[in-house]
């Protein structure tokens, strides 16, 4: 299927590894000029169509600098809102600082970037905003209270925005990973193994057992869905949260 996005421009946040990197590569392969943003950009693969840009989403000034740079370059057609995940931990006993810094890095940063880049999409009457959430938006995950809490706020924001801009040709959606094999998931499995006194292998086997497909997803499988959601043929998908979880979420 021709995704009809060749020649468009995209900003992919959190693009140095994991889900963001896979999406950046998938879009670049479709002929999209991709600004690939992260804190560490030196080791990014030299892929045609990929332009590394440095940003620290936890730093307000750095976010403002990124916005200014992209505005100068005429904005983007596609925005992939992806950030690092917050620290693991329970809901009880989280400090005000922990909540504020998780919110700043994961939510306020992407709200500001989206808001700044939207007017140019509206002007062109074409745009795609896709935000990476988590299965925890639907089924909160134990010991990931900061993630569950902040992502629920992001889901509310995304759904509200979807009803504001769709008439201007801009769709706004979320994509919810279950367990896709990345550094982040390996780190969380290691934390769980340390906490429960079992091996990482045992934690991963138990985790695979909870996924109807029986394995973790591959970043390319996730990125293929993301690339479709920001494509021209996906023009009637708006305000949705698409699960890419091998059937892991049990609710309807
Ligand atoms: N993988 C999954 O199955 C899964 C499941 C549920 C939710 N998620 C969520 O989806 C998101 C991406 O997941 P992932 O597995 O790809 O995570 P990951 O492997 O940890 O990658 C995170 C990306 O975000 C960037 N990043 C982190 N902090 C940043 C900051 N302050 N400023 C700018 N960039 C920053 C990292 O690059 P630098 O370190 O170079 O900045 C990296 O490129 C995370 O929020 C994660 O919690 C993932």
């Amino acid at each position: 299927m021709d995704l009809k996005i060749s020649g468009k421009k995209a900003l992919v946040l959190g693009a140095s590894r994991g889900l963001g990197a896979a999406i950046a590569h998938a879009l670049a392969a479709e002929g999209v000029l991709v600004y690939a943003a992260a804190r560490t950009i030196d080791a990014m693969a030299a892929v045609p169509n990929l332009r590394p840009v440095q940003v620290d989403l936890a730093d307000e000034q750095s976010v403002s600098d990124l916005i200014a740079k992209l505005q100068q370059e005429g904005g983007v057609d596609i925005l992939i809102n992806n950030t690092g995940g917050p620290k693991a931990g329970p809901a009880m006993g989280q400090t005000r600082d922990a909540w504020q810094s998780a919110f700043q890095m994961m939510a306020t940063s992407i709200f500001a970037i989206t808001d700044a880049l939207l007017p140019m999409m509206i002007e062109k009457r074409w745009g795609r905003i896709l935000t990476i959430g988590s299965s925890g938006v639907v089924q909160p995950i134990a010991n990931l209270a900061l993630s569950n809490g902040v992502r629920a706020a992001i889901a509310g924001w995304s759904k509200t925005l979807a009803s504001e801009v769709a008439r201007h040709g801009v769709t706004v959606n979320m994509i919810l990973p279950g367990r896709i094999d990345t550094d982040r998931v390996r780190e969380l499995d290691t934390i769980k193994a340390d906490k429960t006194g079992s091996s990482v292998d045992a934690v991963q086997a138990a985790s695979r057992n909870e996924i109807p497909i029986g394995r973790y997803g591959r970043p390319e499988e996730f990125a293929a869905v993301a690339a479709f959601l920001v494509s021209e043929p996906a023009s009637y998908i708006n305000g949705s949260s698409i699960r890419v979880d091998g059937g892991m979420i049990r609710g309807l």
Side-chain angles (χ1 to χ4, degrees), residues 14-20 37-40 55-58 82-86 105 132-135 151 177-180 182-185:
S16 62
R17 54 178 195 272
L19 306 181
R39 290 169 303 183
T40 45
V55 69
D56 181 355
L57 295 169
N82 174 47
T83 70
M105 194 265 285
I132 296 180
S134 164
S135 62
R151 287 189 213 277
R179 294 189 75 73
I180 314 293
T182 64
D183 291 354
R184 163 86 177 163
V185 164

Side-chain angles (χ1 to χ4, degrees), residues 20-53:
I23 295 172
H25 290 172
L27 294 181
E30 290 294 327
V32 175
L33 171 67
V34 179
Y35 296 99
R39 290 169 303 183
T40 45
I41 57 173
D42 298 345
M44 273 190 200
V47 172
N49 287 342
L50 209 78
R51 305 272 180 282
V53 262

Side-chain angles (χ1 to χ4, degrees), residues 140-175:
I141 304 165
N143 207 43
L144 280 183
L146 292 172
S147 172
N148 296 333
V150 175
R151 287 189 213 277
I154 294 170
W157 164 81
S158 178
K159 186 72 181 164
T160 310
L161 185 65
S163 64
E164 294 174 10
V165 295
R167 273 162 213 260
H168 302 288
V170 181
T171 66
V172 183
N173 292 291
M174 287 192 75
I175 178 168

